[in-house]
Amino acid sequence: MTKSNPIHFCGFLVAGPVVHSHAIWRNPAHETPFLSLAHYAGIAKTLERGFFDFVFFADRLAIADRYGDSHEMGLRLGDQDATRMDPLPILGAMAAVTNHLGLGATRSTTYDAPFNIAREFATLDHISGGRAAWNVVTSMNDGEALNFGDVPHLSHDERYDRADEFMEVAFKLWDSWEPDALVLDRAGGVYADPSKVHYANHKGRWFKARGPLNIPRSPQGRPLIIQAGSSGRGKAFAARWSEVIFALQPSMTRMTAFTKDVRAALEGAGRAANAAKVMMAVMPFIGETRDEAEAKRDLHDSLIDPRVGLSTLAAHANADFGALPLDATIDEIADTGSQGNLAALRSIAGDSSITIADAGKIYGRGVMCPRLVGTAQDVADELIAIVDSGAADGFVISPAFLPDTFDDFVDKVVPILQARGRARIDYGAGSLRERLGTSGARP
């Protein structure tokens, strides 16, 4: 029977030379102008042509320098943090060349203020007509902390405790204007109804914010909330606040287990088990034949220096691999940063012992993002199978090359899914939140 519910899709980006794939900027077919506005505008148009629900930019606030206690390797080889432009101005430009595509940016609750975040996303939601999304991160490593000297580097769970209060304040600020507070009575000279604009007057452990926000209530009221925590505390945070939960799990088994845990956590937080959409990252390699797709993958992988992956892995794990021989095992590293990353690496290795060089190669080719390799029909079949198994509601498409991967996916895979009733054929009316069918959470 043809399914009536479309699979949800998001385009994953970093405003720099690397996304998950560390080969992007080395594309032998053409240059990748990651510093140019036209590059991102073109991607936005392609994703909207493919009826993607939204795009979002990952971000971090430091150059990676954990590997060898130096930025030399990451900058020389071009790791994930070698360049990261601010995604919000880029999203504003993307809003100008699209009409429906959701627009998501990463912002940290550790190195920002609730009023500033609330103002940024209210602005984006207004100028895009209700398409803003916020990927909430707590930040995790020493490099970021050293760029914000007046902010203490908190423990893992403390970052989430602080983030909970951050979200409470942001929600109060977004709600400080009632929906009909903006009057705009030109004849009578009344701009707004002051009785419908409220002070937040928040005083908590971490934050004090008087409010109200100096921007009227936006079309969505607040941005769509995205979160990707993989630790126990991170999942609890996501269960309370998220409308989309982004996950990077390297196998169907891990996808299924992750989604099962998320559903249970949502119910534990007093929400419906399906209150948030779970979207799994995948990296497709698409060819006219399976051999052609495998050749694309192999060319991509041949461009990866294990050391560039190690530089990014060191930043994510907040651990220095530089002093260890490349044949040392991953078990010799104690991580204090992304607690899910090393466990996932061990899962990839199975019963064998994975080396530091192996980890660098895995990270460099895609940060453990599972790859779908085959014809467009093969890829479509795999996506449908994952969703129909209950392991995901949709996918975050991570590019191997830009804009090549998105072009291939939109031109070749999306039509197959549309023909089978599993991809949108139009956007319809409504905001990003309404199209995704999420209701959000209340503090």
Side-chain angles (χ1 to χ4, degrees), residues 284-296:
F285 291 87
I286 302 160
E288 294 301 318
T289 65
R290 184 175 291 273
D291 285 346
E292 181 183 315
E294 291 174 350
K296 285 184 177 183

Side-chain angles (χ1 to χ4, degrees), residues 41-226:
I43 289 169
K45 292 176 183 178
T46 296
L47 296 179
E48 184 158 278
R49 180 165 57 83
F51 300 102
F52 274 50
D53 291 278
F54 62 102
V55 61
F56 92 83
F57 285 83
D59 199 18
R60 222 168 62 80
L61 301 170
I63 280 178
D65 60 1
R66 286 294 279 134
Y67 186 77
D69 198 25
S70 169
H71 61 16
E72 179 179 354
M73 192 65 70
L75 287 175
R76 183 177 301 280
L77 299 178
D79 72 4
Q80 197 180 50
D81 294 328
T83 295
R84 293 206 189 209
M85 297 192 294
D86 187 340
L88 268 172
I90 297 172
L91 289 173
M94 285 178 152
V97 299
T98 57
N99 295 306
H100 305 285
L101 182 69
L103 305 163
T106 298
R107 281 290 193 259
S108 172
T109 58
T110 301
Y111 303 119
D112 215 323
F115 190 93
N116 187 48
I117 292 289
R119 188 166 181 260
E120 287 178 334
F121 283 100
T123 299
L124 180 61
D125 204 49
H126 274 295
I127 67 172
S128 67
R131 295 188 277 149
W134 173 22
N135 178 45
V136 183
V137 299
T138 62
S139 298
M140 60 186 176
N141 63 30
D142 297 339
E144 290 171 294
L146 292 171
N147 287 336
F148 296 85
D150 59 339
V151 178
H153 188 40
L154 304 175
S155 69
H156 179 271
D157 285 2
E158 280 183 317
R159 291 199 306 272
Y160 280 106
D161 292 343
R162 187 179 190 275
D164 273 323
E165 187 180 336
F166 191 111
M167 299 298 288
E168 292 168 7
V169 179
F171 272 52
K172 288 178 182 178
L173 292 168
W174 284 317
D175 290 343
S176 62
W177 287 66
E178 295 182 27
D180 58 348
L182 187 64
V183 177
L184 294 179
D185 180 353
R186 291 181 293 161
V190 178
Y191 175 74
D193 182 345
S195 70
K196 296 182 178 181
V197 181
H198 309 287
Y199 290 102
N201 289 325
H202 179 90
K203 295 181 180 180
R205 176 186 176 190
W206 303 101
F207 300 105
K208 293 181 181 179
R210 187 188 68 167
L213 195 63
N214 58 350
I215 299 174
R217 189 173 183 87
S218 73
Q220 291 188 115
R222 60 187 185 277
L224 183 84
I225 303 298
I226 306 168

Side-chain angles (χ1 to χ4, degrees), residues 125-368:
D125 204 49
H126 274 295
I127 67 172
S128 67
R131 295 188 277 149
W134 173 22
N135 178 45
V136 183
V137 299
T138 62
S139 298
M140 60 186 176
N141 63 30
D142 297 339
E144 290 171 294
L146 292 171
N147 287 336
F148 296 85
D150 59 339
V151 178
H153 188 40
L154 304 175
S155 69
H156 179 271
D157 285 2
E158 280 183 317
R159 291 199 306 272
Y160 280 106
D161 292 343
R162 187 179 190 275
D164 273 323
E165 187 180 336
F166 191 111
M167 299 298 288
E168 292 168 7
V169 179
F171 272 52
K172 288 178 182 178
L173 292 168
W174 284 317
D175 290 343
S176 62
W177 287 66
E178 295 182 27
D180 58 348
L182 187 64
V183 177
L184 294 179
D185 180 353
R186 291 181 293 161
V190 178
Y191 175 74
D193 182 345
S195 70
K196 296 182 178 181
V197 181
H198 309 287
Y199 290 102
N201 289 325
H202 179 90
K203 295 181 180 180
R205 176 186 176 190
W206 303 101
F207 300 105
K208 293 181 181 179
R210 187 188 68 167
L213 195 63
N214 58 350
I215 299 174
R217 189 173 183 87
S218 73
Q220 291 188 115
R222 60 187 185 277
L224 183 84
I225 303 298
I226 306 168
Q227 223 275 321
S230 59
S231 68
R233 183 64 179 90
K235 288 178 184 175
F237 179 86
R240 179 178 180 188
W241 299 106
S242 293
E243 296 166 86
V244 170
I245 296 174
F246 160 57
L248 202 160
Q249 299 295 332
S251 66
M252 174 77 89
T253 300
R254 288 184 63 89
M255 290 179 192
T256 301
F258 179 91
T259 299
K260 181 179 179 181
D261 286 349
V262 164
R263 303 294 188 214
L266 286 164
E267 291 184 319
R271 301 172 67 191
N274 62 352
K277 303 297 184 185
V278 179
M279 300 184 69
M280 295 290 173
V282 294
M283 184 182 296
F285 291 87
I286 302 160
E288 294 301 318
T289 65
R290 184 175 291 273
D291 285 346
E292 181 183 315
E294 291 174 350
K296 285 184 177 183
R297 178 201 60 199
D298 293 345
L299 171 63
H300 169 273
D301 291 357
S302 73
L303 300 171
I304 304 299
D305 186 317
R307 296 171 298 170
V308 75
L310 288 173
S311 182
T312 294
L313 176 58
H316 287 180
N318 208 21
D320 181 9
F321 306 123
L324 295 175
L326 292 180
D327 58 358
T329 67
I330 196 72
D331 294 323
E332 295 175 45
I333 305 304
D335 64 301
T336 60
S338 294
Q339 295 186 11
N341 284 338
L342 297 182
L345 281 169
R346 295 186 186 107
S347 176
I348 290 173
D351 295 331
S352 61
S353 180
I354 189 170
T355 68
I356 302 302
D358 294 333
K361 192 73 173 179
I362 291 167
Y363 240 70
R365 73 188 190 195
V367 192
M368 302 182 301

